[in-house]
C-alpha cells in the first residue's frame, strides 16, 4: 500500500485509554514507519462519555471549569466547552456514573446539568449540545429542570426536588418566568423508550446501583412522570431515546424543548469527518470492545460505513464478533489477565500498530 495520508479516528478504550491518546500513539508509530506520511487525527465519540473531549480536541473549543452539583448533591469541579456561542455539555461531567460515589438511581440527581446550562447561557451560548450518556440517574431530568428554574410541588403543596423514586409525588409544576430560548440539541446513542421492559429503569438502572426490587419502583415513577407530561401534551411512551440517561431524553424535550438527535451522526458533522475521510488512503479506528452492540450507532461501525471501500482497520482490546466484516485487530495479550491487559493498553496498542504497519 502506497501511504500518503492516514486518518486516525478512534473512540476511547473505556477505563484505560482516551481517544486522544490512541491518536498520539498511532501517529508516533506511523511517523516511525514513514516520516513523510501525512497524519490527520480526529478523536471521536458517539454522544456518550468522552464526547466533550472529542469536541474540544476537534474544534479547539474553550473549556469552562467551575463547581456544579454532582449526582450526590455535592459541589464539584466539572467542565463544559464553548466555541462561537455554541456550548457542549457532557452530562457525565456532573452526573456520570464514574464520578458518583453513592450509586443509587433512586436518589441521584441531574441538578448539575441544569446549572451548567444556565452558566453556558450566561456565557453567551445561543445553541447547546447535550450529550446523554453514562449517567448515574433516573430522575427524567427533573433535577436538571430545577437547575434551570422549574419548581416541583407535592400534594401537600410543599416544594421538593424529585429524584428517581419520588417522581410520582409531583402534583404541580411551576414553570420558570422566562422561557429558555436557547436552542438545545440532545445527543443520544440509544433508542430506549422512557418506561417498560425497554425503558430507562429496566435496561440501565441495575448498572447504576439499583437492586432488583428497585426496578419496578423506578419504572412506575417514570410512568407517573409520563402521566404528568401528558397533561401538557407530551407522551413519551413510544419515543425512541426518551429513556436515555435515566429519562433525561424525555426531560430535555419536555423542559427544554430540545431536539433528540443521533450522537454519532451529529458528531461526524461537527468534526467534518467526510472531508477528512476523502483525504485519506488509510483510516485507523478503534474502541475498547467490539461486539454485536457496536453495530448500532457506535463509532467504529458507523465510521466504516462512511469509509465505503477505503482501506480501513480497527484496533480493539476485545473482539466478541463471530465474524469480522472488516479488518479488526485485537490488541490484548492472550496470555495475560484482563486486568493486566487494561494496565498495558498503551503498549499493547503500540505493538499491534507496529506489527500492522510492518505487514503493509
Amino acid at each position: 500500500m502506497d501511504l500518503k495520508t492516514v486518518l486516525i479516528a478512534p473512540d476511547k478504550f473505556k477505563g484505560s485509554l482516551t481517544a486522544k491518546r490512541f491518536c498520539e500513539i498511532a501517529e508516533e508509530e506511523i511517523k516511525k514507519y514513514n516520516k513523510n506520511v501525512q497524519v490527520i487525527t480526529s478523536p471521536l465519540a458517539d454522544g456518550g462519555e468522552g464526547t466533550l473531549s472529542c469536541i474540544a480536541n476537534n474544534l479547539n473549543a474553550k473549556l469552562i471549569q467551575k463547581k456544579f452539583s454532582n449526582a450526590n448533591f455535592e459541589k464539584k469541579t466539572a467542565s463544559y466547552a464553548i466555541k462561537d456561542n455554541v456550548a457542549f455539555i457532557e452530562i457525565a461531567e456532573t452526573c456520570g456514573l464514574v464520578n458518583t460515589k453513592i450509586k443509587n438511581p433512586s436518589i441521584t440527581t441531574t441538578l448539575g446539568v441544569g446549572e451548567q446550562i444556565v452558566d453556558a447561557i450566561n456565557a453567551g451560548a445561543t445553541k447547546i449540545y447535550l450529550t446523554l450518556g453514562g449517567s448515574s440517574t433516573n430522575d427524567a431530568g427533573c433535577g436538571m429542570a430545577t437547575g434551570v428554574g422549574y419548581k416541583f410541588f407535592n400534594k401537600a403543596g410543599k416544594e421538593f426536588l424529585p429524584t428517581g423514586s419520588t417522581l410520582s409525588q409531583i402534583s404541580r409544576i411551576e414553570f420558570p418566568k422566562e422561557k429558555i430560548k436557547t436552542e438545545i440539541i440532545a445527543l443520544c446513542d440509544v433508542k430506549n423508550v422512557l418506561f417498560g421492559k425497554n425503558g430507562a429503569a429496566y435496561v440501565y438502572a441495575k448498572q447504576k446501583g439499583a437492586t432488583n426490587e428497585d426496578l419496578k419502583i423506578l419504572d412506575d415513577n417514570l410512568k407517573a412522570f409520563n402521566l404528568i407530561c401528558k397533561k401538557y401534551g407530551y407522551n413519551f411512551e413510544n419515543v425512541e431515546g426518551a429513556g436515555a440517561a435515566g429519562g433525561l431524553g424525555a426531560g430535555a424535550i419536555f423542559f427544554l424543548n430540545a431536539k433528540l438527535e443521533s450522537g454519532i451522526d451529529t458528531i461526524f458533522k461537527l468534526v467534518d469527518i467526510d472531508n477528512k475521510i476523502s483525504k485519506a488512503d488509510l483510516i485507523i479506528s478503534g474502541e475498547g470492545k467490539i461486539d454485536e452492540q457496536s453495530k448500532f450507532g457506535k463509532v467504529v461501525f458507523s465510521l466504516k460505513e462512511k469509509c465505503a471501500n477505503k482501506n480501513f482497520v480497527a484496533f480493539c482490546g476485545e473482539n466478541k464478533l463471530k465474524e469480522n466484516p472488516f479488518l479488526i485487530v485485537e490488541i490484548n495479550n492472550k496470555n495475560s489477565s484482563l486486568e493486566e491487559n487494561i494496565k498495558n493498553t498503551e503498549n499493547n496498542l503500540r505493538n499491534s500498530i507496529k506489527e500492522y504497519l510492518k505487514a503493509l
Side-chain angles (χ1 to χ4, degrees), residues 20-85:
K20 182 182 179 183
R21 184 60 186 144
F22 181 115
C23 289
E24 291 169 349
I25 291 169
E27 183 171 11
E28 287 167 11
E29 292 307 315
I30 290 168
K31 289 299 184 180
K32 289 177 188 176
Y33 167 78
N34 185 342
K35 65 180 180 181
N36 296 318
V37 173
Q38 181 185 358
V39 176
I40 303 170
T41 60
S42 184
L44 294 175
D46 55 21
E49 291 170 89
T51 302
L52 183 64
S53 175
C54 164
I55 293 297
N57 286 315
N58 280 280
L59 303 185
N60 196 27
K62 181 183 178 183
L63 279 177
I64 307 294
Q65 281 193 325
K66 290 185 177 180
K67 286 189 180 287
F68 301 100
S69 297
N70 68 6
N72 298 139
F73 295 91
E74 302 167 322
K75 290 291 185 180
K76 297 289 182 180
T77 301
S79 303
Y80 68 89
I82 192 163
K83 171 87 172 181
D84 300 331
N85 295 327

Side-chain angles (χ1 to χ4, degrees), residues 138-356:
N138 211 80
D139 70 352
C142 288
M144 173 197 69
T146 301
V148 299
Y150 284 82
K151 293 182 180 180
F152 298 89
F153 299 87
N154 61 19
K155 288 182 180 179
K158 185 178 179 181
E159 185 180 350
F160 75 109
L161 199 161
T163 58
S165 63
T166 60
L167 296 172
S168 59
Q169 295 177 27
I170 300 171
S171 178
R172 181 171 68 87
I173 300 175
E174 185 178 300
F175 286 63
K177 291 180 180 179
E178 288 190 22
K179 192 175 181 180
I180 292 177
K181 298 175 182 178
T182 305
E183 181 184 3
I184 310 282
I185 298 173
L187 307 183
C188 62
D189 60 354
V190 299
K191 294 185 177 181
N192 300 86
V193 292
L194 182 61
F195 57 87
K197 289 184 179 179
N198 295 314
Y202 278 112
V203 176
Y204 298 109
K206 279 194 77 172
Q207 69 190 47
K208 301 178 183 184
T211 64
N212 289 327
E213 292 73 26
D214 292 333
L215 298 183
K216 186 179 185 305
I217 296 170
L218 291 168
D219 191 63
D220 285 345
N221 274 272
L222 291 172
K223 287 179 184 176
F225 175 75
N226 192 59
L227 288 175
I228 296 165
C229 293
K230 286 172 80 171
K231 293 179 181 178
Y232 294 91
Y234 293 84
N235 183 2
F236 297 106
E237 186 172 358
N238 298 308
V239 177
E240 290 187 347
L248 188 53
I253 296 171
F254 182 66
F255 297 116
L256 305 175
N257 195 32
K259 294 178 183 176
L260 283 186
E261 290 188 1
S262 160
I264 191 63
D265 290 342
T266 305
I267 295 298
F268 280 163
K269 289 176 187 176
L270 288 170
V271 305
D272 196 16
I273 201 68
D274 288 334
N275 181 44
K276 293 172 182 176
I277 290 170
S278 70
K279 296 175 181 178
D281 308 305
L282 169 67
I283 296 91
I284 296 176
S285 189
E287 59 184 308
K289 182 168 72 172
I290 293 179
D291 56 19
E292 290 299 323
Q293 290 300 313
S294 303
K295 298 177 181 178
F296 305 100
K298 299 298 183 180
V299 167
V300 170
F301 273 80
S302 299
L303 183 63
K304 176 62 178 77
E305 189 175 335
K306 281 191 165 290
C307 292
N309 295 322
K310 290 216 168 197
N311 295 306
F312 184 94
V313 58
F315 293 87
C316 65
E318 289 183 295
N319 178 11
K320 296 292 187 180
L321 296 178
K322 292 179 180 178
E323 295 182 5
N324 295 340
F326 49 84
L327 181 57
I328 298 174
V329 178
E330 193 175 64
I331 70 169
N332 281 358
N333 187 328
K334 299 293 185 183
N335 298 318
S336 300
S337 66
L338 178 60
E339 187 178 39
E340 288 174 321
N341 276 310
I342 289 173
K343 287 180 181 178
N344 294 317
T345 299
E346 288 200 13
N347 285 334
N348 290 344
L349 177 63
R350 189 179 296 280
N351 291 334
S352 295
I353 291 174
K354 193 180 297 182
E355 290 300 315
Y356 168 77

